[in-house]
Amino acid sequence: MHYNLSLIGFGNVARAFVRLLERKRDLLQSQYGITYAVTGIATGSHGFAVNPNGLDTNKALELVENKQSISVLNNFHLPITDSLSVIQHSSAHVMFENSPVNHHTGQPALNHVRAALEAGQHVITANKGTVVHGYRELTALANAKGKKFLFESTVLGGAPLFSVFRETFPLAELHSFKGILNATTNLILSRMEAGETFDEAVKYCQAIGVAETDPSADVDGWDAAIKVAALVTVLMGIPLKPQEVERKGIREITPRMIEQAKESGKRYKLVCSAERRGDSVTARVAPELVDASSPLYGIMHSSSGVVFRTDVLPDYSIIVTEREGMSGGPVETAYGLFADFVSLLK
Amino acid sequence: MHYNLSLIGFGNVARAFVRLLERKRDLLQSQYGITYAVTGIATGSHGFAVNPNGLDTNKALELVENKQSISVLNNFHLPITDSLSVIQHSSAHVMFENSPVNHHTGQPALNHVRAALEAGQHVITANKGTVVHGYRELTALANAKGKKFLFESTVLGGAPLFSVFRETFPLAELHSFKGILNATTNLILSRMEAGETFDEAVKYCQAIGVAETDPSADVDGWDAAIKVAALVTVLMGIPLKPQEVERKGIREITPRMIEQAKESGKRYKLVCSAERRGDSVTARVAPELVDASSPLYGIMHSSSGVVFRTDVLPDYSIIVTEREGMSGGPVETAYGLFADFVSLLK
């Protein structure tokens, strides 16, 4: 099975994905009979390239990492000047959408996904905006075209979660979940437990590149709310917008509160939760006191995880724990794209 | 898709499975187009029954639970007098092997599985003995017949684990794992932390039916070693016998040791671990001091879980936490059989 791939968005995650594909190239062929070529790339500020016979990805990586344009690789008879033209002309079987997320509208990613599905391409994305703003529409469109719309990397940084439910929990009813889904706030709270103030902890996160100059998307719970909306929408089958998630961030947590929690054997976590009530759902992001009996208690620093309550099993938790060299960055997020890619064979 | 099912072994797990099938019957048909009939049952001490047109399972449950023989339900023209004849004559598409485990030889379950596969039936089992004593042979035989040999319920009490690796971790290399896989010893250690002696905790476990009169299979680490052998054999592809697992039980853990651990913020857990070294593996079951940074630290009472280290992601843990009404008993183990059954459609 040969796949032509197009990469819309060529940032850290997409570039890590290209390297992972290369590292697993021989196994893809020997274990699954999969071969591939990258036939289209759209970058944010380093140009566009299409070659239906396959682009030199090493060259593309080198150019972008040296801040040069990839348009020199373009080997198409028409000028390629935007993402949509890459989608249209790359002869891709699979489009990977990894352009920057716009949480409010999901654009321009939504348009990219629509265009690729309309053109009969599978779509795989790490872009949460497409799930919370378009899950039903895009899944219906994919089904109508006999294609897949997959998004494992949108929650829990590339670790299996959506696929676990899709493939290994047949006919289970998801009643509720509780999780820690935003690494930045969890790191801030962990550092506050170790004695830093909120401002010091935020500065640390900014210094290592995990928090933005304006940290509000993380500390006010927006990123977490988007992930809650994605989980509810997909796993509970109830469309939910981030704005509909009751949301409280961690700005009001003081060192004194952290200290008091510790004294009572508890800690504050920014808990993401949802509970089904008939055909509706209550969903919430808020700081909660968690004690040692909860699987969330031990999730520290940049680790994350979710506890799922179903009708068929005791509480089932998936927890992703950072360790040296593996902490949920682009390399790990890329594995979710890779797993989605392999699952197209099914 | 219509399946005839035979149930070899009709104890708590198999009976819970029949009830679960019944509870999900309508969804099986509407979501997957699956219909089924139970056409053969072999019990340990309440007889055998075959009816190629379908047995009345409610009647079978009632008979066995009133300690009566099910042979009155037998509607076959030949006398059915043992499990093998049930396998042979039940016209089953799927055989569910849930006879009592013999850890040393895997018998008679191994023979049941072989006979069913030879007869062109899929086999699904909660019997660990068949995996540690026959995984390679039985998988090869199943493949040769174009059938499946599935065993989700053998480790972690019916929660998705083998299927998570099979379906959601493509081309990941499993380097090592660490887990708590025996609920009885974990419950004993939890109760010792709460102040009981080893003997008191064992007596409690016997009183509630989770430990045998002779508790050695649990407290000496045999059950844990079998599960380690199963995980290594299947997930690492390295055949390993329980006897090859370095094994130390919890008999030597004293209240004083538990107290000292607590003072240093740690606890003793019976840790199951394995680490790949090239083409071989070191595997071990032993009490270890675990601190709060480990995902195993919070696993108390009858809960269980495993942390997996791969080449592609941060440490990925699956943890199953008991809660009221859901504690990893037969009802939950039955869900693993059910999930395996549905996965036959793939």
Side-chain angles (χ1 to χ4, degrees), chain A:
Chain A
M1 189 71 196
H2 179 82
Y3 292 99
N4 288 339
L5 316 180
S6 76
L7 308 171
I8 308 304
F10 199 55
N12 290 331
V13 168
R15 298 204 302 275
F17 173 61
V18 166
R19 292 193 164 96
L20 179 60
L21 276 176
E22 194 54 46
R23 178 158 81 83
K24 298 284 189 184
R25 180 190 283 272
D26 292 347
L27 282 171
L28 277 171
Q29 180 148 23
S30 62
Q31 303 281 305
Y32 295 103
I34 293 175
T35 58
Y36 71 90
V38 175
T39 56
I41 301 177
T43 75
S45 47
H46 300 96
F48 306 88
V50 166
N51 184 340
N53 298 317
L55 291 160
D56 180 341
T57 51
N58 287 329
K59 191 72 194 156
L61 290 169
E62 194 188 315
L63 286 166
V64 168
E65 286 166 5
N66 288 314
K67 305 194 185 303
Q68 296 178 286
S69 171
I70 61 168
S71 60
V72 294
L73 303 176
N74 193 40
N75 186 17
F76 192 69
H77 64 288
L78 291 175
I80 298 287
T81 53
D82 61 14
S83 294
L84 288 172
S85 60
V86 174
I87 292 167
Q88 212 176 340
H89 296 298
S90 56
S91 306
H93 304 100
V94 193
M95 186 275 265
F96 292 83
E97 158 54 50
N98 293 297
S99 68
V101 187
N102 178 316
H103 295 148
H104 295 293
T105 65
Q107 292 295 13
L110 271 180
N111 282 347
H112 300 160
V113 176
R114 282 188 195 115
L117 291 172
E118 288 287 1
Q121 303 169 13
H122 299 288
V123 173
I124 293 171
T125 185
N127 192 317
K128 295 180 281 288
T130 62
V131 178
V132 295
H133 293 286
Y135 172 69
R136 281 213 169 172
E137 173 212 336
L138 299 172
T139 301
L141 178 56
N143 288 341
K145 296 284 182 176
K147 302 294 163 186
K148 297 281 182 190
F149 169 56
L150 299 171
F151 41 78
E152 186 66 275
S153 286
T154 55
V155 180
L156 230 51
L161 190 166
F162 291 110
S163 57
V164 168
F165 271 81
R166 194 175 65 228
E167 305 290 344
T168 80
F169 266 99
L171 300 187
E173 292 164 21
L174 180 58
H175 291 325
S176 64
F177 64 81
K178 255 181 197 283
I180 294 173
L181 298 175
N182 177 268
T184 304
T185 44
N186 203 52
L187 182 51
I188 291 169
L189 292 171
S190 297
R191 292 186 72 87
M192 288 179 75
E193 268 190 56
E196 290 187 0
T197 64
F198 175 79
D199 288 338
E200 287 166 348
V202 169
K203 282 208 182 84
Y204 172 82
C205 290
Q206 287 166 330
I208 63 166
V210 306
E212 308 287 322
T213 313
D214 172 4
S216 51
D218 289 319
V219 301
D220 292 333
W222 277 112
D223 174 76
I226 289 162
K227 289 167 175 165
V228 168
L231 290 179
V232 168
T233 300
V234 178
L235 299 182
M236 291 182 165
I238 300 173
L240 191 78
K241 292 271 177 283
Q243 302 88 310
E244 298 172 289
V245 177
E246 185 190 326
R247 185 183 45 77
K248 190 174 173 186
I250 61 165
R251 288 189 200 265
E252 290 168 25
I253 306 287
T254 62
R256 176 91 189 97
M257 288 163 72
I258 300 254
E259 206 47 51
Q260 283 177 328
K262 214 188 278 183
E263 281 160 19
S264 62
K266 297 179 183 176
R267 30 176 79 120
Y268 279 98
K269 292 290 182 191
L270 185 63
V271 175
C272 300
S273 59
E275 186 174 355
R276 176 190 274 284
R277 318 230 161 162
D279 289 337
S280 71
V281 68
T282 55
R284 184 164 180 256
V285 172
E288 289 184 17
L289 278 171
V290 171
D291 71 26
S293 73
S294 165
L296 304 184
Y297 181 81
I299 300 177
M300 297 299 284
H301 310 293
S302 303
S303 301
S304 54
V306 199
V307 190
F308 295 99
R309 181 160 291 185
T310 67
D311 66 324
V312 289
L313 286 176
D315 287 349
Y316 184 90
S317 304
I318 297 174
I319 292 170
V320 182
T321 311
E322 60 169 17
R323 60 181 162 98
E324 214 178 328
M326 287 276 187
S327 61
V331 173
E332 294 80 26
T333 303
Y335 182 69
L337 301 173
F338 180 84
D340 279 342
F341 175 48
V342 174
S343 83
L344 293 178
L345 270 191
K346 281 175 189 158

Side-chain angles (χ1 to χ4, degrees), chain B residues 220-235:
Chain B
D220 293 333
W222 277 113
D223 174 74
I226 289 162
K227 288 167 175 165
V228 169
L231 290 178
V232 168
T233 300
V234 176
L235 299 182

Side-chain angles (χ1 to χ4, degrees), chain B residues 137-155:
Chain B
E137 173 212 337
L138 299 172
T139 301
L141 178 56
N143 289 342
K145 296 285 182 176
K147 300 296 163 185
K148 296 281 183 191
F149 169 56
L150 299 171
F151 40 79
E152 185 65 275
S153 286
T154 56
V155 180

Side-chain angles (χ1 to χ4, degrees), chain B residues 232-262:
Chain B
V232 168
T233 300
V234 176
L235 299 182
M236 292 182 165
I238 301 173
L240 191 78
K241 292 271 177 285
Q243 302 88 312
E244 298 172 288
V245 177
E246 186 189 327
R247 184 183 45 76
K248 190 175 173 187
I250 61 164
R251 287 188 201 266
E252 290 168 26
I253 306 288
T254 62
R256 175 93 187 96
M257 290 163 71
I258 301 253
E259 206 47 49
Q260 283 177 329
K262 214 188 281 184

